[in-house]
Amino acid sequence: MPFPGVWNFNRSQRTGLLLLVMLILLLGSGVTYWNMQKPALPGDAPAQYAEKQYQSSGYSTRKKTLPQLKSISLNEADSARLETLPGIGKVLSARIVKYRKIKGGFASLEELKKVYGLSAETYEQILPYLTLGAAPEKPARKLPVPIEINTADTAAWASLPGIGKVLSARIVKYRDAKGGFKALEEVAKVYGLSPETFAEIAPYLSLAQVPEKPANTNAAPEATTSNARVANPEYAPKKVFEGTADLNTADSALLVQIPGFGAKIAPRVMKYRQILGFYADADLVKQVYGLSEENYQRARPFLTATPPASHTYLNLNGTTARQLDIMAIISKEEATRLLAARMEQGRFTTWDEVKQANLSPQSLFRLQAYFRL
């Protein structure tokens, strides 16, 4: 049977067929346009075109790169420059600069890990930006002129490193009160002279001659008929105290004989020892209530303090402002800075972190004598 021609269809059939053809053509042109606009897949177009298409759609085939920063010298950059590093804010940049100042410069980039609060992840993140740089050179210091400890005046003492006008005057006054130094180690007993400073000046000290013991000029004169009062034992001068007293073992009977102490101060010295547990150094006796500076200077040449071989340490991370005030081993200003530094860091883990509270060497020595981290 022959295929019927289009013109054999009725009017409605021809109209439907025409619409079908137009729909097919419309769909075909839409597919072609879509294929022309879609991103090219790898292998369908050159790599440059594929990369351009991915970038235009918000994607990239390239590996993400680090921010473009110039290299920073760890030993030379200031806190503002260090703060531009990823993960380093104002607090960490300030700690890095402070650590560098204390250490005199970083010896290696690895040493940066010791800065408190710097995580391993942050260290690895900033490492590509860092160079070590030159550590600041310490200026050459002129060597002091050696001195003889029993003849040097205050100017000679003040020329030594760490000895200023106050300490030099105190050393000479202490020497005169003792009648001269009999050993180099006696210089270390001067109030305010830290063990570190004494160790630094010790190579420049010499003792040419040990002073002879002066005659006892306090002996009572012979009685005469014209001076009956001198013959009376009630008016005889008191015996001069000889030797030394260890503040950690002396009893009240011995302490009461120390010049400048007497019956009023000796019990307070004992009470303060009970508060501390022991005297870390003899200079702590200056904190005894009621002991004047004059009487302290009179007593100090006769005092020593030998800490016990073992004792119970306190926890520095758990101490309070009240406990530090009662012990009085450091000043109130230092105690405030110490607690503020502990609050900022969370807790102390090393004594280098404690040093950042700007404590004096003597105060740091005392804290280490009574506390553990």
Side-chain angles (χ1 to χ4, degrees), residues 300-317:
R300 184 62 182 83
F302 307 100
L303 302 176
T304 62
T306 304
S310 62
H311 65 90
T312 302
Y313 288 95
L314 303 172
N315 181 8
L316 188 59
N317 283 309

Side-chain angles (χ1 to χ4, degrees), residues 218-256:
N218 294 322
E222 295 181 1
T224 62
T225 55
S226 61
N227 193 1
R229 292 183 65 189
V230 175
N232 190 337
E234 182 180 351
Y235 297 99
K238 296 180 180 179
K239 182 180 179 181
V240 177
F241 184 84
E242 297 181 356
T244 59
D246 192 321
L247 288 169
N248 288 321
T249 57
D251 56 16
S252 58
L254 179 59
L255 290 174
V256 77

Side-chain angles (χ1 to χ4, degrees), residues 287-309:
Q287 306 301 325
V288 171
Y289 174 74
L291 182 62
S292 66
E293 176 66 24
E294 180 182 357
N295 284 333
Y296 165 76
Q297 293 294 344
R298 290 176 58 197
R300 184 62 182 83
F302 307 100
L303 302 176
T304 62
T306 304

Side-chain angles (χ1 to χ4, degrees), residues 47-323:
Q48 183 178 2
Y49 175 76
E51 174 67 12
K52 184 177 180 180
Q53 292 295 327
Y54 274 88
Q55 288 180 350
S56 65
S57 59
Y59 297 94
S60 176
T61 58
R62 295 178 183 174
K63 187 177 180 180
K64 185 178 180 181
T65 58
L66 294 173
Q68 296 299 317
L69 294 177
K70 294 182 179 180
S71 60
I72 294 178
S73 171
L74 187 57
N75 276 320
E76 298 169 341
D78 57 15
S79 58
R81 181 70 173 142
L82 292 169
E83 193 178 337
T84 63
L85 291 169
I88 304 296
K90 289 185 178 180
V91 175
L92 270 179
S93 62
R95 287 179 184 170
I96 293 172
V97 172
K98 197 168 188 179
Y99 182 90
R100 182 179 67 193
K101 184 177 180 181
I102 293 174
K103 299 291 289 186
F106 288 94
S108 65
L109 295 178
E110 187 80 9
E111 193 176 355
L112 183 61
K113 293 181 179 179
K114 297 181 180 180
V115 175
Y116 177 79
L118 182 66
S119 65
E121 293 78 7
T122 303
Y123 171 77
E124 294 296 336
Q125 188 178 8
I126 67 176
L127 189 59
Y129 305 121
L130 297 178
T131 60
L132 185 60
E137 295 183 0
K138 296 182 179 179
R141 185 176 63 184
K142 185 179 179 181
L143 294 178
V145 177
I147 65 172
E148 206 286 325
I149 60 176
N150 278 321
T151 59
D153 57 13
T154 55
W157 281 103
S159 68
L160 297 176
I163 307 295
K165 291 182 179 180
V166 175
L167 264 181
S168 61
R170 197 175 289 166
I171 292 171
V172 172
K173 186 176 181 179
Y174 180 83
R175 180 186 66 193
D176 294 344
K178 287 180 61 66
F181 292 114
K182 300 178 180 60
L184 293 178
E185 291 72 18
E186 292 183 1
V187 177
K189 298 179 180 179
V190 174
Y191 171 72
L193 182 62
S194 66
E196 293 81 5
T197 301
F198 175 73
E200 188 174 2
I201 68 174
Y204 308 106
L205 305 181
S206 64
L207 179 61
Q209 184 177 1
V210 177
E212 296 181 0
K213 185 177 180 180
N216 187 2
T217 57
N218 294 322
E222 295 181 1
T224 62
T225 55
S226 61
N227 193 1
R229 292 183 65 189
V230 175
N232 190 337
E234 182 180 351
Y235 297 99
K238 296 180 180 179
K239 182 180 179 181
V240 177
F241 184 84
E242 297 181 356
T244 59
D246 192 321
L247 288 169
N248 288 321
T249 57
D251 56 16
S252 58
L254 179 59
L255 290 174
V256 77
Q257 301 178 44
I258 303 294
F261 278 6
K264 181 181 292 187
I265 299 298
R268 296 177 182 175
V269 174
M270 298 282 290
K271 185 175 181 180
Y272 188 44
R273 184 172 70 188
Q274 292 176 352
I275 293 174
L276 295 175
F278 65 94
Y279 284 93
D281 58 80
D283 293 332
L284 274 171
V285 78
K286 191 176 183 180
Q287 306 301 325
V288 171
Y289 174 74
L291 182 62
S292 66
E293 176 66 24
E294 180 182 357
N295 284 333
Y296 165 76
Q297 293 294 344
R298 290 176 58 197
R300 184 62 182 83
F302 307 100
L303 302 176
T304 62
T306 304
S310 62
H311 65 90
T312 302
Y313 288 95
L314 303 172
N315 181 8
L316 188 59
N317 283 309
T319 190
T320 63
R322 177 173 175 78
Q323 185 177 35

Side-chain angles (χ1 to χ4, degrees), residues 316-317 337-339 341-343 345-350 353-354 357 373:
L316 188 59
N317 283 309
R337 292 198 300 269
L338 178 70
L339 296 177
R342 188 183 68 184
M343 181 178 296
Q345 300 186 25
R347 61 180 287 108
F348 293 124
T349 57
T350 66
E353 295 172 3
V354 179
L373 301 179

